[in-house]
Amino acid sequence: MLLMKKRDKKEDEEGGGNPFYNMEKASVLQEARTFNETPIKVRKCNHILTKILYLINQGEHIGTREATETFFAMTKLFQSQDINLRRMVYLCIKEMSKISEDVIIVTSSLTKDMTGKEDQFRAPAIRALCTITDSTMLQSIERYMKQAIVDKVHAVSSAALTSSLHLSHQGNDLVKRWVNEAQEAINSDNVMVQYHALGLLYHIRRNDKLAVSKLVTKFTRHSLKSPYAYCLLIRIACKLLNEDEGIDSKMLFQFLESCLRHKSEMVIYEAAHAIVSMKSTTAKELAPAVSVLQLFCSSAKPTLRFAAVRTLNKVAMKHPAAVTACNLDLENLITDVNRSIATLAITTLLKTGSESSIDRLMKQITTFMPEISDEFKIVVVQAIRSLCLKFPRKHGVMMNFLSSMLRDEGGFDYKKSIVNTIISIIEENVDAKEAGLAHLCEFIEDCEHTVLATRILHLLGREGPRTPTPAKYIRFIYNRVILENASVRAAAVTALAKFGAHCEELLPSITVLLERSLLDTDDEVRDRATFYLEVLQQKQAALNSAYILNGLQVSVVGLERALHNYTLDPSEKPFDMKTVPLATQPIVDQKAAAISAPGEAMSAKSTDKVAASRQDIYAEQLAAIPELSNFGHLFKSSSMPVELTESETEYVVRCVKHTYSQHVVFQFDCTNTLNDQLLENVTVVLEPSDGFVVVCTIPAAKLVYNEPATAYTCVALSQDDPVLVTGTFSCTLKFTIKDCDPNTGEPDDEGYEDEYVLEDIELTVADHVQKVMKPNFGASWEEVGPENELEDTYALSSMKTLEEAVKNIISFVGMQPCERSDKVPEGRSSHTLYLAGVYRFVFLFKI
């Protein structure tokens, strides 16, 4: 007995109690030959089929030949009438139909079971048959499917309805014929049959908005018995309300409100969730849904409490005032035994609480923080970030709390979220800068994550020199030079150099510290120290600004491409950095992730590859067009496309403007929304303002239904008047129309010319200016020199507030606000706005 226990314990340790642990595919397929034996060994065959299903679901690759042989052997099991074995055979047919050949051989057997008298065979036989049936065979089983949909056995009817839903992807037109049977099934007393019937009806009509609207109207007036069907109807109604295209929104909203009084808790929650999730819901419309969720917060069922508080958490992001009434109930949930509910409750309170309640909330959070996982801690940290931005005067309390969390045990993602939060608070709140930097300095003394240490050192190098007492940070930075790995040492050397470049009184001390790094064991650290020492010893503000404080403002992908092209075409002329495009925003938005609920993805996986910006991709696409390849380097592409049509029109056109040194290329992304038309030779004709000349037009060869295509029009800028950079262009879409079959897409041979008037396009000052970020604006301003400084006065009489003036100026000139000067402090009557950009030469604005 003792020996057996030891053996069982060893097996548990090796395979975690899994009976199929270390199972080999070859041995299982060998065992499948048992299917050919007579008489059939039911229990053994059941076990082998289970093994085959396990292998397939574990992702084990089974070759086509092996699968086919096993499939044919498995068909012999139809001779057995054992219910469990037959249902296992159905499951294996569904799984192996994707990897085996000639699976249609079992069609007759499945059809026989589907129409037989054994009800336990019929439903799974329908599912298996529909899995192996393709569009060519669909008509042969149509009669059986219609009968099954209205069958009196609920399991058979439900199986037929769900299988019809899957079949509609292969032959939707044929499934549309079954709409009468589906409408009959929706009157069933069974909740699942009614739910599946409604789902099939909606799927058949989903492309016809009028039919969907009629479907919803019909069933909102006739009560359904199935709560699942009600939930689906609520989702359909919510989708219609969000699209808001000429429907009776009042009637639909009244239906959603009536569902809040349904006897099923599932339906009540679904209705409340739908109301609070709609795009344009007012506070008055939210009130009944929030009241229902408030009642759920005190429910005895943990699932209802979790659903309610999770939904209220999302509502608090957009409508915090609407959730304020639930604060008392939420505070009671802080002590809930379910830590997920407690975490969501506290984060919701952080979003809706007042400034006076922050201290109390911080104390309550402290009591349960050690008991929750890192995933939930990250949610709390993100809620604290939004609260600190909402009540900046309370930054001290929250900074201290975040600092104590940094000292606790935790993984990389948890520590990273805290560091990101402290950094965002520092950037948004000037008063919090010194306290935040002090907390981060303490953290890097014992930080085991290289990525976080280098980021904090970069922040210290940028913000530290501009504090009242920059010298106090030197000790923390130099400790990293002595104690850390090469990556952190290199970042510390760069941070020290920035202190030396910005603070003249610290330069002698910084020089001594950098000289100690000249003998470092790592090449990168030595090279940085040597380079920075050489620059600092020149004692020139322009050099410090260009090579230490502001760095290189070019696209890494563009630099790589330019260097590659330079090596392909050797020249005695040195490589010119001005030919490299400036750094622009990457396609993937790098903003802080929105606050998400536990269980949702908290962070994206990092990648070592540098993200190509939108402009880099445009540059590569435009360079491949022969007519545009001789325009030189792309200077700027507009960040957001301009909509030239409404999104609901028959032709949707968006414009992206690409600026070169002497030309502007207008890229028109066109989409044809009519499935009975094919457009050919699609061009956009521009009527330019005075001083602009259309050089060439590049048509899109054809515009197929719902497939975007691109046309280009190039305009030459005025050479006689360099100041003439703005204008308005009238646009007309011209094309050849050919009618086509909506089903096959085959066009007619003959077509006719037609045109479509688009909205005008404006070429603005911002289209000629590329944004440039200058981390140290003062140094860059001095670098430009007083000879390039101009001063003028403008009246902004149409703007009522400083915030509005700042926003409009940035939008008009298209430049990058620096040092967070786009944020206007409260109560100010004047404000200084720092802007930086490039227009054939670097220039800076101080307004």
Side-chain angles (χ1 to χ4, degrees):
M1 180 67 75
L2 185 62
L3 183 64
M4 189 179 294
K5 286 184 177 179
K6 285 184 177 178
R7 187 174 64 194
D8 291 344
K9 185 177 180 182
K10 185 178 180 182
E11 287 177 355
D12 288 347
E13 289 174 354
E14 289 178 351
N18 184 353
F20 301 133
Y21 182 70
N22 277 341
M23 184 172 59
E24 293 185 0
K25 177 186 73 173
S27 63
V28 174
L29 297 179
Q30 187 74 17
E31 288 178 23
R33 295 182 179 181
T34 307
F35 300 155
N36 295 315
E37 295 178 1
T38 306
I40 294 172
K41 299 174 183 177
V42 173
R43 187 172 182 181
K44 186 175 182 181
C45 291
N46 260 327
H47 192 58
I48 296 169
L49 290 172
T50 305
K51 289 181 179 180
I52 293 171
L53 288 171
Y54 176 80
L55 286 174
I56 293 172
N57 284 285
Q58 289 297 308
E60 186 77 38
H61 175 70
I62 300 177
T64 304
R65 183 177 176 182
E66 296 170 326
T68 304
E69 290 176 357
T70 305
F71 186 86
F72 272 80
M74 187 177 59
T75 58
K76 304 288 181 64
L77 300 179
F78 274 100
Q79 298 172 21
S80 172
Q81 294 301 311
D82 184 81
I83 293 175
N84 290 330
L85 180 61
R86 184 66 62 86
R87 298 184 77 172
M88 285 296 293
V89 170
Y90 295 143
L91 284 174
C92 283
I93 288 173
K94 289 172 65 178
E95 293 298 328
M96 298 191 71
S97 63
K98 305 167 188 172
I99 53 178
S100 304
E101 294 178 343
D102 300 325
V103 292
I104 59 173
I105 196 172
V106 295
T107 302
S108 59
S109 299
L110 291 172
T111 306
K112 181 181 176 182
D113 286 351
M114 173 183 173
T115 56
K117 296 180 179 179
E118 182 57 65
D119 291 339
Q120 294 194 49
F121 288 172
R122 294 173 64 198
I126 290 171
R127 294 191 185 95
L129 181 61
C130 292
T131 303
I132 66 170
T133 301
D134 57 20
S135 56
T136 58
M137 298 172 55
L138 191 55
Q139 200 160 3
S140 63
I141 65 168
E142 182 181 7
R143 179 167 59 90
Y144 303 119
M145 290 299 296
K146 284 184 175 181
Q147 291 172 356
I149 288 173
V150 295
D151 199 278
K152 293 180 180 179
V153 179
H154 297 145
V156 174
S157 179
S158 187
L161 288 164
T162 52
S163 299
S164 301
L165 191 60
H166 294 301
L167 284 172
S168 64
H169 297 296
Q170 301 174 15
N172 195 27
D173 290 338
L174 190 60
V175 176
K176 283 180 180 178
R177 301 178 192 172
W178 308 346
V179 68
N180 292 332
E181 285 74 18
Q183 285 177 333
E184 186 177 340
I186 209 169
N187 298 320
S188 171
D189 294 334
N190 184 269
V191 292
M192 293 309 296
V193 172
Q194 198 174 60
Y195 168 57
H196 291 144
L198 180 62
L200 180 60
L201 281 174
Y202 170 68
H203 190 76
I204 290 172
R205 299 173 176 176
R206 70 188 188 280
N207 293 325
D208 186 348
K209 292 179 180 177
L210 181 60
V212 173
S213 180
K214 288 181 179 178
L215 178 72
V216 175
T217 304
K218 176 183 176 181
F219 290 110
T220 52
R221 292 171 181 169
H222 300 83
S223 60
L224 297 165
K225 295 180 180 179
S226 170
Y228 305 107
Y230 258 113
C231 289
L232 178 59
L233 196 61
I234 288 168
R235 293 186 181 187
I236 298 170
C238 185
K239 186 179 179 183
L240 286 173
L241 281 169
N242 282 330
E243 291 172 353
D244 192 23
E245 293 184 6
I247 59 169
D248 188 356
S249 57
K250 184 178 180 181
M251 183 272 294
L252 289 179
F253 195 83
Q254 285 175 349
F255 164 69
L256 294 180
E257 283 193 322
S258 69
C259 290
L260 294 174
R261 298 181 291 276
H262 197 272
K263 61 183 179 180
S264 170
E265 292 171 336
M266 181 198 309
V267 176
I268 296 170
Y269 171 73
E270 189 66 40
H273 182 268
I275 291 172
V276 301
S277 301
M278 285 194 298
K279 294 178 182 177
S280 55
T281 313
T282 63
K284 183 180 179 181
E285 292 169 337
L286 278 175
V290 172
S291 299
V292 165
L293 294 172
Q294 185 178 4
L295 290 173
F296 282 175
C297 286
S298 55
S299 171
K301 299 178 181 178
T303 50
L304 276 181
R305 295 201 305 274
F306 177 80
V309 73
R310 189 171 186 264
T311 308
L312 287 172
N313 188 284
K314 290 183 177 180
V315 177
M317 294 180 189
K318 293 183 179 179
H319 306 279
V323 187
T324 308
C326 307
N327 281 1
L328 186 60
D329 301 271
L330 291 170
E331 286 188 23
N332 294 332
L333 291 177
I334 293 176
T335 56
D336 196 283
V337 291
N338 188 313
R339 294 289 86 185
S340 303
I341 296 174
T343 305
L344 286 167
I346 197 72
T347 52
T348 308
L349 284 168
L350 288 173
K351 295 170 191 171
T352 60
S354 61
E355 193 167 1
S356 58
S357 65
I358 290 176
D359 294 327
R360 177 168 48 85
L361 287 174
M362 289 294 118
K363 290 178 182 178
Q364 288 176 311
I365 294 173
T366 307
T367 57
F368 78 87
M369 282 299 286
E371 302 173 21
I372 62 176
S373 64
D374 281 3
E375 185 182 15
F376 291 112
K377 287 178 182 177
I378 291 171
V379 178
V380 174
V381 170
Q382 291 173 331
I384 291 173
R385 176 193 302 182
S386 60
L387 190 67
C388 200
L389 298 179
K390 185 179 178 182
F391 303 114
R393 285 184 294 184
K394 285 289 183 179
H395 68 83
V397 177
M398 287 177 275
M399 277 286 197
N400 290 333
F401 177 76
L402 292 170
S403 176
S404 65
M405 292 173 74
L406 268 179
R407 292 191 289 270
D408 295 339
E409 293 294 324
F412 171 72
D413 288 334
Y414 172 49
K415 299 289 185 181
K416 179 184 175 183
S417 69
I418 300 173
V419 170
N420 288 343
T421 299
I422 293 176
I423 290 174
S424 67
I425 293 171
I426 290 172
E427 291 175 344
E428 296 293 331
N429 189 345
V430 178
D431 297 332
K433 182 188 289 187
E434 288 201 58
L437 292 177
H439 292 315
L440 293 176
C441 284
E442 291 178 12
F443 173 62
I444 59 172
E445 287 291 304
D446 193 28
C447 178
E448 58 185 9
H449 305 292
T450 300
V451 173
L452 297 182
T454 52
R455 183 168 184 202
I456 292 169
L457 287 168
H458 173 73
L459 178 75
L460 287 171
R462 190 183 72 205
E463 302 290 345
R466 289 180 283 189
T467 58
T469 54
K472 65 182 180 182
Y473 302 108
I474 302 299
R475 172 173 63 88
F476 297 101
I477 298 173
Y478 188 67
N479 282 347
R480 309 282 65 75
V481 177
I482 302 171
L483 303 172
E484 295 288 354
N485 59 46
S487 298
V488 178
R489 295 202 304 274
V493 166
T494 301
L496 287 173
K498 289 182 178 180
F499 276 83
H502 195 277
C503 310
E504 289 186 18
E505 67 277 9
L506 295 177
L507 182 57
S509 303
I510 297 296
T511 303
V512 173
L513 296 178
L514 290 176
E515 285 174 347
R516 294 178 184 176
S517 297
L518 294 176
L519 300 176
D520 194 276
T521 55
D522 185 75
D523 293 347
E524 175 71 17
V525 179
R526 290 198 306 271
D527 290 348
R528 288 196 187 194
T530 304
F531 174 73
Y532 291 139
L533 268 174
E534 185 63 29
V535 174
L536 289 172
Q537 287 169 356
Q538 303 302 316
K539 296 184 179 180
Q540 295 183 23
L543 289 177
N544 290 345
S545 173
Y547 296 108
I548 299 178
L549 296 175
N550 287 311
L552 203 59
Q553 300 286 333
V554 297
S555 163
V556 176
V557 177
L559 177 60
E560 180 186 8
R561 187 184 297 115
L563 288 170
H564 178 65
N565 292 337
Y566 183 76
T567 58
L568 294 177
D569 186 17
S571 172
E572 295 182 1
K573 186 179 178 182
F575 180 77
D576 187 3
M577 285 297 294
K578 292 181 180 179
T579 63
V580 181
L582 296 169
T584 55
Q585 189 71 17
I587 287 178
V588 179
D589 196 0
Q590 301 298 330
K591 290 181 181 179
I595 298 171
S596 56
E600 297 175 358
M602 298 306 301
S603 61
K605 292 183 180 178
S606 60
T607 176
D608 295 333
K609 188 175 180 181
V610 177
S613 69
R614 183 180 288 104
Q615 183 168 321
D616 291 326
I617 294 173
Y618 281 142
E620 191 171 347
Q621 292 173 349
L622 294 169
I625 301 173
E627 294 89 341
L628 309 179
S629 58
N630 60 348
F631 286 173
H633 298 281
L634 177 63
F635 175 71
K636 180 184 180 179
S637 296
S638 54
S639 57
M640 294 296 293
V642 180
E643 302 287 344
L644 301 184
T645 61
E646 298 291 335
S647 58
E648 299 83 12
T649 55
E650 52 265 52
Y651 311 118
V652 178
V653 182
R654 303 191 307 168
C655 178
V656 179
K657 293 171 275 187
H658 306 289
T659 307
Y660 290 82
S661 57
Q662 301 297 334
H663 299 83
V664 175
V665 174
F666 296 91
Q667 172 183 322
F668 299 97
D669 297 323
C670 311
T671 305
N672 173 21
T673 62
L674 301 177
N675 61 358
D676 59 349
Q677 287 186 0
L678 172 69
L679 308 187
E680 292 183 349
N681 194 28
V682 182
T683 60
V684 178
V685 178
L686 297 185
E687 294 184 10
S689 306
D690 293 340
F692 299 97
V693 179
V694 176
V695 177
C696 65
T697 301
I698 304 170
K702 61 180 180 178
L703 206 56
V704 183
Y705 166 64
N706 219 23
E707 291 184 13
T710 303
Y712 299 91
T713 302
C714 176
V715 173
L717 298 173
S718 174
Q719 301 297 312
D720 301 328
D721 187 2
V723 182
L724 182 61
V725 293
T726 62
T728 302
F729 301 82
S730 300
C731 305
T732 305
L733 185 71
K734 295 191 175 183
F735 44 81
T736 301
I737 291 183
K738 288 186 177 180
D739 294 329
C740 63
D741 188 333
N743 297 320
T744 63
E746 286 293 325
D748 295 343
D749 295 332
E750 298 295 327
Y752 57 93
E753 303 290 329
D754 201 356
E755 61 182 45
Y756 188 85
V757 178
L758 306 175
E759 297 287 337
D760 293 348
I761 303 174
E762 288 191 5
L763 194 63
T764 64
V765 173
D767 294 321
H768 300 269
V769 179
Q770 182 65 278
K771 295 180 178 181
V772 175
M773 173 56 76
K774 294 292 181 182
N776 193 311
F777 186 87
S780 300
W781 184 266
E782 295 300 325
E783 181 186 349
V784 172
E787 64 275 9
N788 294 310
E789 185 176 332
L790 296 175
E791 187 173 333
D792 209 338
T793 304
Y794 298 90
L796 306 176
S797 55
S798 62
M799 302 174 196
K800 298 179 180 179
T801 63
L802 281 175
E803 290 82 0
E804 184 184 357
V806 166
K807 182 179 179 181
N808 287 333
I809 290 170
I810 293 172
S811 174
F812 179 78
V813 298
M815 300 172 72
Q816 176 67 43
C818 300
E819 298 186 6
R820 299 181 294 279
S821 59
D822 54 327
K823 303 287 173 54
V824 181
E826 293 182 6
R828 295 288 182 87
S829 58
S830 62
H831 179 67
T832 302
L833 173 64
Y834 301 125
L835 300 173
V838 171
Y839 180 90
R840 298 194 181 97
F841 54 89
V842 177
F843 68 94
L844 308 170
F845 273 5
K846 183 164 68 173
I847 302 173

